[in-house]
Amino acid sequence: MMQFTETPLPPLHQIITPISNPTMNRNRPWPGFPTSKSLGSFGDANCMEQLLVHCVNAIESNDATLSQQILWVLNNIAPPDGDSNQRLTCAFLRALIARAAKSGTCKLLAAMENAHCNLAIDTHKFSIIELASFVDLTPWHRFGYTAANAAILEAVEGYLVIHIVDLSLTHCMQIPTLVDAIANRFEVPPLIKLTVAGATEDVPPLLDLSYEELGSKLVNFARSRNIIMEFRVIPSSYADGFSSFIEQLRVQHLVYAESGEALVINCHMMLHYIPEETLSGIPSTNSNTYSYESSSSSMSFRTMFLKSLRSLDPTLVVLVDEDADLTSNNLVCRLRSAFNYLWIPYDTVDTFLPRGSRQRQWYEADICWKIENVIAHEGPQRVERLEPKCRWIQRMRNANFRGISFADDAISEVKTMLDEHAAGWGLKKEDDDIVLTWKGHNVVFASAWLPA
């Protein structure tokens, strides 16, 4: 298990010797570097993290020579096909190169860019079958599916019409299991209305078919379980806090509110893409430019979104997301937080996917995309803005929701699901919420909410 402690790294002059004459040692990648053999002691996670921090400081202070030197050291100790620590560091290395190249800090990055000849991340477009199999490989998403479905089943007991609003990163992969459970549980099959936010932005995992085609497949699957399903997709953007989606949803809900249907809002790892900063004024319809301000000055999009959900008076809201904080405007803080969270997927992948497999390439490409977005981008382009569980709980309470506990049956189902995976996965209960852990570290949380 990786232990992250603040072990101080030796001063940089002990790693990289000063450059006294730029014409010396021309046969080395850059003058003043130690040989690869002398780098072995810097291969543990703490030293790699500290080297990354040194590199960030060099890039941000516009020190092209020093940043290139540290990048070269990292390139030697973090091969892309190494162990989990090395692959994690390699992903951060690529992200730092992308940031430096974009900012123009390091104009002499040609050699490094050639070493990483294709810095573009090749994210795979999944077929439905591939994506379904992909999310089943690990509890990362299955944990949230299992907990949410159990809470939904309990909340909609006795309703003849169930309206599910699915805000999910994984393109409705949770829905077939929920439909199956409803078909098995209810004697009189309810009508299921499924409304999906079809985000216009490309965030992994990517799907190789349209939402209309996806909806047709889901409707046919429900029919095979003797359930009638109505499917609707609303083109949406998380950049504006799903404002148009909420408005259309409000109109749709007003039409059917008197019928007594259950309204379930299922939020699965999607809400952290809503900007957490306050935007100074709503943009005009032909403008994509936003002005960022402190979120303390007025209401943020996340706050507005949750208050809008509350105004719909839903039967249940389920919120599942990754338990980390990637919101800092300080790049070093953000890098440390990301490094101390995103080691987990690299560590877990060794337990279920062999090296060289296509699925492993897809899996790690998605993590690389996340790391690059966190490190190399700023402003509206930096969309990976995870917030920890404690902050989402406060947001939900401020929006006038109250948390409810997951039933013993739900917790038992989650435990049974975890038994199908590697021994490092665990479950813990924190007040009303449940948390997926890997070797004792928080990974994903699941929470259920009712209007207060």
Side-chain angles (χ1 to χ4, degrees):
M1 182 173 113
M2 295 176 70
Q3 297 292 329
F4 292 100
T5 57
E6 289 295 326
T7 304
L9 185 70
L12 271 179
H13 70 268
Q14 293 182 16
I15 306 173
I16 306 172
T17 57
I19 301 176
S20 57
N21 185 342
T23 63
M24 292 173 60
N25 303 318
R26 288 187 180 275
N27 57 343
R28 284 183 173 180
W30 283 284
F33 286 117
T35 62
S36 298
K37 291 180 181 179
S38 67
L39 297 173
S41 60
F42 303 107
D44 70 89
N46 289 315
C47 284
M48 288 179 174
E49 179 186 359
Q50 295 291 355
L51 279 168
L52 289 167
V53 169
H54 282 313
C55 190
V56 165
N57 288 330
I59 291 172
E60 295 302 283
S61 63
N62 205 32
D63 190 334
T65 301
L66 181 57
S67 58
Q68 286 177 153
Q69 289 179 329
I70 304 172
L71 286 169
W72 184 89
V73 174
L74 287 166
N75 193 52
N76 275 268
I77 64 174
D81 57 352
D83 62 26
S84 58
N85 289 347
Q86 292 170 322
R87 300 197 312 277
L88 169 69
T89 303
C90 181
F92 277 89
L93 167 63
R94 291 169 59 102
L96 286 173
I97 294 171
R99 183 182 181 92
K102 186 188 336 186
S103 66
T105 301
C106 303
K107 296 180 179 179
L108 303 177
L109 277 172
M112 188 66 74
E113 288 177 330
N114 288 335
H116 296 262
C117 53
N118 183 16
L119 283 174
I121 298 169
D122 185 19
T123 48
H124 177 68
K125 281 199 170 186
F126 291 89
S127 69
I128 284 287
I129 300 300
E130 285 176 342
L131 186 56
S133 300
F134 188 72
V135 297
D136 280 346
L137 289 171
T138 166
W140 205 280
H141 293 292
R142 290 190 72 198
F143 165 79
Y145 294 174
T146 306
N149 285 350
I152 292 169
L153 286 172
E154 185 176 355
V156 301
E157 187 85 49
Y159 285 89
L160 296 178
V161 181
I162 303 169
H163 184 186
I164 301 167
V165 177
D166 196 43
L167 288 153
S168 171
L169 184 66
T170 53
H171 312 291
C172 301
M173 289 298 101
Q174 175 182 338
I175 300 302
T177 309
L178 179 59
V179 169
D180 232 3
I182 289 173
N184 293 329
R185 179 159 175 159
F186 300 128
E187 291 185 9
V188 179
L191 167 66
I192 296 179
K193 298 177 179 178
L194 178 61
T195 300
V196 175
T200 55
E201 298 89 353
D202 288 333
V203 174
L206 305 178
L207 201 58
D208 73 347
L209 76 167
S210 69
Y211 267 96
E212 287 73 18
E213 294 170 302
L214 174 64
S216 178
K217 291 180 183 296
L218 288 170
V219 167
N220 289 336
F221 175 81
R223 187 181 299 121
S224 73
R225 300 298 187 268
N226 297 316
I227 288 180
I228 298 174
M229 175 186 283
E230 297 176 1
F231 179 89
R232 185 185 185 201
V233 58
I234 301 177
S236 314
S237 172
Y238 52 69
D240 66 356
F242 295 109
S243 58
S244 60
F245 176 81
I246 288 292
E247 269 314 301
Q248 292 194 50
L249 190 61
R250 190 188 310 283
V251 172
Q252 184 180 1
H253 185 58
L254 286 173
V255 173
Y256 297 107
E258 295 182 2
S259 66
E261 68 181 26
L263 176 62
V264 174
I265 314 291
N266 183 60
C267 304
H268 184 91
M269 300 192 186
M270 180 66 83
L271 298 196
H272 71 260
Y273 291 105
I274 297 174
E276 99 277 9
E277 300 96 338
T278 297
L279 302 179
S280 61
I282 304 301
S284 64
T285 54
N286 62 349
S287 172
N288 292 318
T289 304
Y290 298 92
S291 175
Y292 282 75
E293 295 179 341
S294 167
S295 60
S296 60
S297 60
S298 57
M299 199 181 298
S300 73
F301 269 163
R302 293 187 185 185
T303 300
M304 289 190 289
F305 174 80
L306 294 179
K307 287 185 178 293
S308 297
L309 287 191
R310 176 62 183 86
S311 70
L312 297 174
D313 199 29
T315 308
L316 178 73
V317 175
V318 182
L319 174 57
V320 175
D321 217 320
E322 296 163 314
D323 194 7
D325 187 357
L326 303 181
T327 59
S328 176
N329 287 326
N330 182 287
L331 182 57
V332 169
C333 291
R334 206 160 70 234
L335 182 143
R336 286 190 182 278
S337 184
F339 193 88
N340 283 277
Y341 177 69
L342 293 172
W343 69 271
I344 297 173
Y346 278 98
D347 197 44
T348 62
V349 74
D350 291 335
T351 68
F352 64 90
L353 287 175
R355 291 192 182 192
S357 71
R358 285 191 308 158
Q359 285 184 318
R360 180 154 168 168
Q361 292 170 5
W362 301 339
Y363 182 89
E364 295 196 352
D366 284 4
I367 310 169
C368 284
W369 186 95
K370 186 187 290 278
I371 290 170
E372 181 172 313
N373 189 265
V374 169
I375 300 302
H377 297 276
E378 295 294 349
Q381 286 74 42
R382 179 162 62 84
V383 298
E384 283 289 347
R385 296 173 181 264
L386 290 170
E387 287 189 302
K389 178 173 76 78
C390 59
R391 208 177 295 164
W392 278 113
I393 288 173
Q394 193 57 53
R395 285 186 183 278
M396 292 297 288
R397 288 173 178 166
N398 290 346
N400 204 24
F401 287 99
R402 65 178 178 88
I404 58 171
S405 297
F406 288 90
D408 291 341
D409 288 348
I411 293 174
S412 178
E413 285 185 43
V414 173
K415 288 180 177 177
T416 300
M417 180 273 296
L418 292 180
D419 288 341
E420 301 173 15
H421 297 278
W425 295 105
L427 170 71
K428 67 180 179 181
K429 201 169 186 303
E430 294 183 349
D431 299 322
D432 293 329
D433 316 308
I434 55 177
V435 181
L436 174 70
T437 63
W438 173 254
K439 297 180 178 179
H441 297 265
N442 285 17
V443 181
V444 175
F445 71 88
S447 59
W449 302 86
L450 300 177

